[in-house]
């Protein structure tokens, strides 16, 4: 619950736009569901998470934009980072990619494809900012 409060406080201090790497939607609708589907969470634990999720949603006002990166590019980036803990995560990445796509479709979430963006390229950064302004 602490992290939700922290996000809420941070969102209250933003004048225009806050970018965070995940949201309550992704935590619940993707990661919690993934853990349930893989039998990491029991049905009872999943139901508790569902109840918490519903209660939290009543407390917050959140707008979400999905920054999409195709799974091929994600896997290439993982290979480039060469972190041992990530090297065998390809099936996991594909599973999550599919789950995120389902959530985006189900909730009609706006998408910005960042698969080919380079944060060190000013034109790419300008493009990203332009796309974010279009969604606002």
């Amino acid at each position: 619950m602490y992290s939700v409060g922290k996000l809420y406080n941070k969102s209250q201090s933003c004048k225009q736009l806050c970018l965070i790497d995940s949201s309550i939607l992704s935590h619940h609708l993707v990661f919690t569901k993934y853990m349930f589907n893989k039998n990491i969470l029991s049905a009872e634990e999943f139901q508790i998470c569902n109840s918490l999720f519903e209660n939290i949603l009543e407390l917050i006002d959140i707008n979400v934009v999905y920054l999409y990166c195709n799974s091929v590019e994600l896997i290439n980036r993982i290979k480039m980072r060469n972190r041992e803990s990530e090297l065998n995560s390809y099936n996991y990445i594909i599973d999550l990619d599919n789950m995120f796509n389902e959530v985006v479709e189900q909730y009609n979430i706006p998408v910005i494809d960042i698969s080919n963006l380079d944060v060190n390229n000013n034109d790419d950064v300008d493009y990203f900012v332009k796309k974010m302004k279009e969604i606002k």
Side-chain angles (χ1 to χ4, degrees), residues 112 124-135:
I112 298 176
D124 285 355
V125 172
D126 291 343
Y127 169 82
F128 175 77
V129 169
K130 178 182 175 234
K131 295 306 268 180
M132 287 298 295
K133 287 179 179 178
E134 289 172 3
I135 292 172

Side-chain angles (χ1 to χ4, degrees), residues 3-135:
S3 64
V4 173
K6 196 171 165 184
L7 289 177
Y8 176 77
N9 290 337
K10 183 68 176 170
S11 71
Q12 295 302 304
S13 68
C14 291
K15 300 295 181 204
Q16 294 180 356
L17 176 68
C18 283
L19 293 178
I20 57 174
D21 65 351
S22 62
S23 74
I24 188 69
L25 291 174
S26 64
H27 281 287
H28 182 70
L29 298 174
V30 176
F31 296 107
T32 303
K33 186 176 178 183
Y34 177 85
M35 290 190 300
F36 176 69
N37 290 346
K38 296 294 183 182
N39 297 313
I40 297 168
L41 290 178
S42 69
E44 182 180 8
E45 291 168 321
F46 186 66
Q47 186 54 45
I48 291 169
C49 290
N50 281 335
S51 296
L52 286 171
F53 175 70
E54 294 299 326
N55 289 331
I56 291 169
L57 278 185
E58 292 177 11
L59 300 174
I60 60 174
D61 181 20
I62 187 170
N63 293 314
V64 176
V65 175
Y66 180 51
L67 303 181
Y68 171 77
C69 186
N70 68 62
S71 54
V72 172
E73 181 59 27
L74 287 173
I75 291 168
N76 285 337
R77 292 176 186 182
I78 288 169
K79 288 177 182 177
M80 285 175 37
R81 284 193 298 262
N82 199 28
R83 295 179 186 155
E84 189 174 331
S85 62
E86 295 179 329
L87 291 178
N88 294 316
S89 61
Y90 307 133
N91 290 335
Y92 174 70
I93 295 297
I94 291 167
D95 287 346
L96 290 183
D97 186 44
N98 291 332
M99 293 179 78
F100 270 108
N101 290 330
E102 289 173 13
V103 169
V104 163
E105 189 174 312
Q106 179 180 356
Y107 290 90
N108 198 29
I109 296 172
V111 176
I112 298 176
D113 187 345
I114 61 167
S115 301
N116 298 313
L117 294 186
D118 176 357
V119 295
N120 297 311
N121 179 310
N122 287 335
D123 290 337
D124 285 355
V125 172
D126 291 343
Y127 169 82
F128 175 77
V129 169
K130 178 182 175 234
K131 295 306 268 180
M132 287 298 295
K133 287 179 179 178
E134 289 172 3
I135 292 172

